[in-house]
Amino acid sequence: MPAQPGTDRSETDVRAAEAAAKPPRRGRRTPDETPAKGRTPAPAGPGEPADAHARTDAAGDATRAVRRTDTGDRNAPDARAAEAAARPSGRGGRAADAGRAAPKGSSAPAQRAGDDGPGGTAPGGSAGSAGGDGPGRPGGNGSAGSGAEPARREGDRLRFVGAATRRVARGIDLDEIVLGLCRATVPTFSDAILVYLRDPLPVGDERPVAPFVLRLRRTDRLRLTEGDGEDAVLVPDPDPTPAAELCEVRSGGALAEVLRGVRPVFGDSAAALAALPELLGPDHPLPPGHRAILAPLRGRRRVIGAAVFLRRPERPAFEPNDLLVAAQLATHTALGIDKAVLYGREAYIADELQRTMLPDSLPQPTGVRLASRYLPAAETARVGGDWYDAIPLPGSRVALVVGDVMGHSMTSAAIMGQLRTTAQTLAGLDLPPQEVLHHLDEQAQRLGQDRMATCMYAVYDPVSHRITIANAGHPPPILLHLGGRAEVLRVPPGAPIGVGGVDFEAVELDAPAGATLLLYTDGLVESRLRDVWTGIEQLRERLAATAQLTGPDHSPPLEALCDDVLDMLGPGDRDDDIALLAARFDGIAPSDVAYWFLEPEDAAPGRARRLARRALARWDLEELTDSVELLVSEVVTNAVRYAERPVTLRLLRTNVLRCEVGDDSPQLPRQRRARDTDEGGRGLFLVNRLARRWGATRLSGGKVVWFELPTR
């Protein structure tokens, strides 16, 4: 078709091409849309020019012609801007290039092998060489526009700061946070880093001690191995950056001024040139050509340290925006260190609280051996309401206590401590087990509402080989016999302590020699994966299986037995803290016991001496006759003076010789220094000088005075 007069053919084609280049509406096909490649053009419809499709093809050619300017330069500003806009943004195009190792001598930072630190590219001066599109990468076209390049580098910087701060925030304790800072910045942001922290670190509102001392906490440095291209690998540098271990910050000095200013400074600034030698030490100057940033670490209230970022001469120098990156890293690290120090102090307080609530060591009473274990619910919750105790009682008896306060918090531990102290006081009064639980129930109600706990209180008598047990809502104990049979003892369940208005019952059972009694809390047998009775049955089977390994004539060692019991716990069984108390009943043989009643009369001391002499002769302990006669005579004389009912005298032979004298007078004897003119008052002085140990215990119906002498 001939062109219209006055109309430029090229302008018509260009307009047609621009109209064809406009995106059609979704779901509709424009009349001038070019058919797909390899498809036959559809015939022209009624009223449509026969050469419509030809014009469309011509318009496409014209559009391509417009893109190719007369100069033929693909790097024209408009073309570069169009290509930059069409290039996919985000991490998709650079993720693969970022993971490649940079060739030796290049400034591109490589990712640490096997590290989950911040990916992407280095901020600041190294962003262009690490992105994959910049002029530093082999094969790059070097055609990034002046507007797109700063935006891309700013995006890289933001992504790096976000990933690095997340890496630092993942740490819980002090070492994890410092390590996270080092791994996040080396080699992406710097080639080396030195982290100094205050020594000692102040906690919370504590006033820091003087002088202000910084200690080098950690230093990281990486280098490339020999090789080119992808053969170069980052490995730890065996030669760390030289620096002093300790640095005392002088008041008014250059380093103190930089730390007081809080803001990071370049290493070549006047302030840093004077502060870095003070920090690194006069014998450790900064290596020639290295670039540095000195960033103070300020916590919530005060400066707690400093970080030094170093780059080698072959790397691009730090840019002004890198100071912002260093400030962000220093702020997040300092706040994390503050929290870690506070968390460490809380964990220390929790450990000390739990340690003081539980006995430091178990006593070694006559006729019984003891072992115990305590496990917190989790490493982050080291305190709980579970407790155990073993309390020696008069008459060579021992009280065994295991309790569980609801919850495993600081409040539960505090309540547990009060209940344990109350139980010790009540045990010292030699009350029956059911009476002890009754008074514990009253004490729990006085502590407040909803202060409930379970408790098992048992008293073992090695002479009679009997045990008396009272229960307050606690799981039943398990008795492991010498032959390997394990049985769950049938004790009255009772109501938990703190309910109020409930009577407790006690049951007396046999405790044969060689048997083992296991008292525990519900955390050992109950979890989300099993109910309490299933756990008790599994515990019983575990004890029986362990006992069979040692044979029918030998009991398993107590410590090994406790460890084996805890091994039954699975991954999902640590929902609650666990207290475990194991008692091996050895008992005292009847042949090693001598027991008499003495009337409260003047002849009682002489009779007591004769009975003690005969017993010692029967036990082949004649070498103790003089001492025993003297001490027995003094103690019995004191008892007869105040007693109204018969006085008891008992001798027990174990690894020591124990003498016990009981009467119905509640008044405890006290040792005093007698004057030269006094006719009495020297009996307890002799007992204190001659006996290995001695004591007096008040009972519900009187008192018992006892002393011990070594038999060997």
Side-chain angles (χ1 to χ4, degrees):
M1 178 182 297
Q4 297 294 331
T7 301
D8 190 356
R9 174 74 180 185
S10 61
E11 291 182 6
T12 303
D13 294 338
V14 168
R15 292 193 190 98
E18 292 176 351
K22 294 180 179 179
R25 292 182 180 180
R26 188 172 183 181
R28 298 182 59 185
R29 182 183 179 93
T30 59
D32 296 337
E33 185 177 0
T34 305
K37 182 179 180 180
R39 182 178 298 175
T40 304
E48 183 180 358
D51 60 345
H53 295 293
R55 288 200 306 270
T56 303
D57 295 338
D61 296 337
T63 302
R64 289 188 292 271
V66 170
R67 292 177 179 175
R68 293 190 296 268
T69 59
D70 294 338
T71 59
D73 184 13
R74 283 184 55 86
N75 295 326
D78 294 338
R80 290 198 304 271
E83 291 178 0
R87 184 184 301 126
S89 61
R91 304 179 181 178
R94 293 189 297 272
D97 293 337
R100 299 174 184 172
K104 185 177 182 181
S106 173
S107 61
Q111 186 71 18
R112 185 188 299 270
D115 190 13
D116 60 346
T121 59
S126 60
S129 60
D133 300 325
R137 189 179 71 86
N141 51 27
S143 60
S146 59
E149 179 67 16
R152 182 179 66 82
R153 294 170 63 180
E154 185 63 24
D156 291 341
R157 181 179 291 107
L158 293 177
R159 283 191 294 272
F160 167 77
V161 172
T165 52
R166 287 193 299 270
R167 179 69 181 269
V168 172
R170 282 202 298 265
I172 297 179
D173 59 11
L174 183 61
D175 292 333
E176 289 181 352
I177 293 174
V178 174
L179 178 62
L181 173 65
C182 296
R183 294 291 173 83
T185 55
V186 178
T188 311
F189 181 70
S190 61
D191 295 313
I193 183 174
L194 293 86
V195 181
Y196 284 86
L197 295 181
R198 197 162 190 159
D199 187 29
L201 278 170
V203 181
D205 297 331
E206 291 182 356
R207 296 179 60 88
V209 298
F212 188 173
V213 177
L214 294 179
R215 179 181 293 274
L216 182 61
R217 186 78 184 195
R218 187 177 179 89
T219 174
D220 269 16
R221 182 176 180 177
L222 296 180
R223 64 178 179 85
L224 286 171
T225 59
E226 297 295 332
D228 297 329
E230 296 184 356
D231 295 334
V233 180
L234 283 168
V235 297
D237 196 337
D239 185 18
T241 302
E245 184 71 19
L246 290 176
C247 169
E248 182 175 348
V249 182
R250 299 188 303 272
S251 178
L255 181 58
E257 293 298 326
V258 173
L259 296 180
R260 187 179 298 110
V262 178
R263 298 179 180 276
V265 294
F266 286 119
D268 54 358
S269 63
L273 289 176
L276 281 176
E278 182 180 349
L279 179 64
L280 302 181
D283 299 333
H284 306 282
L286 196 67
H290 278 61
R291 286 92 170 197
I293 289 181
L294 175 58
L297 301 178
R298 178 178 176 81
R300 294 184 302 167
R301 290 176 174 83
R302 59 185 63 87
V303 174
I304 60 174
V308 181
F309 304 94
L310 299 174
R311 281 186 183 175
R312 295 189 180 91
E314 60 267 19
R315 284 280 294 273
F318 287 112
E319 297 180 353
N321 285 338
D322 290 333
L323 291 179
L324 301 178
V325 175
Q328 287 285 336
L329 296 177
T331 300
H332 283 272
T333 302
L335 293 178
I337 291 174
D338 259 355
K339 294 179 181 179
V341 173
L342 288 174
Y343 171 77
R345 172 60 62 88
E346 290 181 358
Y348 170 77
I349 294 174
D351 288 341
E352 288 297 315
L353 176 63
Q354 191 70 57
R355 188 176 295 109
T356 54
M357 294 299 181
L358 298 176
D360 293 334
S361 60
L362 294 174
Q364 300 298 326
T366 303
V368 62
R369 287 173 287 171
L370 303 172
S372 62
R373 293 291 186 274
Y374 175 80
L375 291 180
E379 195 65 24
T380 55
R382 304 181 184 181
V383 295
D386 291 14
W387 90 90
Y388 62 89
D389 209 344
I391 309 168
L393 300 178
S396 299
R397 296 170 302 152
V398 58
L400 307 174
V401 191
V402 168
D404 182 5
V405 179
M406 288 191 310
H408 41 81
S409 62
M410 300 285 283
T411 303
S412 301
I415 297 173
M416 176 267 287
Q418 298 180 68
L419 293 179
R420 177 173 176 253
T421 303
T422 304
Q424 289 179 333
T425 304
L426 296 172
L429 299 177
D430 198 24
L431 298 178
Q434 64 271 22
E435 291 295 328
V436 172
L437 295 184
H438 175 72
H439 289 292
L440 285 176
D441 179 58
E442 293 179 341
Q443 175 67 12
Q445 295 179 61
R446 285 191 291 267
L447 293 177
Q449 298 179 351
D450 300 331
R451 305 302 190 192
M452 293 199 305
T454 63
C455 183
M456 181 77 66
Y457 189 91
V459 175
Y460 170 65
D461 189 347
V463 177
S464 62
H465 297 272
R466 303 282 287 179
I467 184 170
T468 305
I469 304 176
N471 187 15
H474 205 76
I478 298 179
L479 185 64
L480 179 62
H481 293 269
L482 183 60
R485 181 174 63 92
E487 64 170 330
V488 180
L489 297 182
R490 296 182 179 180
V491 296
I497 293 173
V499 174
V502 180
D503 292 332
F504 300 97
E505 300 180 24
V507 59
E508 188 174 354
L509 304 171
D510 289 331
T516 304
L517 182 69
L518 195 70
L519 303 178
Y520 53 91
T521 56
D522 58 355
L524 181 64
V525 294
E526 186 180 17
S527 68
R528 292 171 294 177
L529 305 179
R530 59 184 178 183
D531 60 89
V532 60
W533 289 108
T534 301
I536 291 174
E537 182 61 23
Q538 292 178 358
L539 176 60
R540 188 194 65 81
E541 295 175 353
R542 187 62 175 261
L543 290 174
T546 303
Q548 291 176 0
L549 298 177
T550 58
D553 299 331
H554 297 84
S555 300
L558 273 183
E559 299 294 338
L561 181 66
C562 292
D563 293 337
D564 191 68
V565 166
L566 295 180
D567 287 342
M568 65 177 287
L569 297 173
D573 293 339
R574 294 293 302 280
D575 300 330
D576 197 2
D577 46 342
I578 298 171
L580 178 66
L581 179 62
R584 174 71 44 77
F585 300 143
D586 294 332
I588 300 177
S591 58
D592 294 330
V593 180
Y595 193 85
W596 304 279
F597 286 94
L598 304 175
E599 293 295 331
E601 55 188 12
D602 295 340
R607 183 171 178 235
R609 290 193 296 269
R610 291 192 300 270
L611 294 175
R613 188 185 310 115
R614 295 172 187 174
L616 294 178
R618 187 171 66 250
W619 293 335
D620 296 330
L621 297 176
E622 289 85 353
E623 67 275 7
L624 299 178
T625 301
D626 294 339
S627 299
V628 171
E629 285 187 6
L630 176 60
L631 298 182
V632 166
S633 178
E634 293 293 338
V635 176
V636 171
T637 299
N638 188 72
V640 169
R641 180 179 302 176
Y642 302 99
E644 296 180 359
R645 297 179 182 179
V647 176
T648 60
L649 173 62
R650 183 166 72 170
L651 297 180
L652 302 175
R653 183 187 66 167
T654 56
N655 56 339
V656 296
L657 178 67
R658 182 182 177 97
C659 176
E660 298 174 352
V661 178
D663 60 77
D664 59 347
S665 175
Q667 183 178 357
L668 297 179
R670 294 183 180 179
Q671 180 183 355
R672 64 184 179 89
R673 181 178 296 276
R675 292 175 296 182
D676 296 338
T677 58
D678 292 341
E679 296 182 358
R682 297 178 177 83
L684 291 182
F685 178 78
L686 295 175
V687 174
N688 185 60
R689 293 296 300 268
L690 298 179
R692 179 180 180 182
R693 292 195 313 157
W694 77 279
T697 305
R698 181 180 286 110
L699 306 179
S700 57
K703 67 175 180 295
V704 170
V705 180
W706 57 271
F707 63 85
E708 293 178 352
L709 293 173
T711 57
R712 298 178 180 84

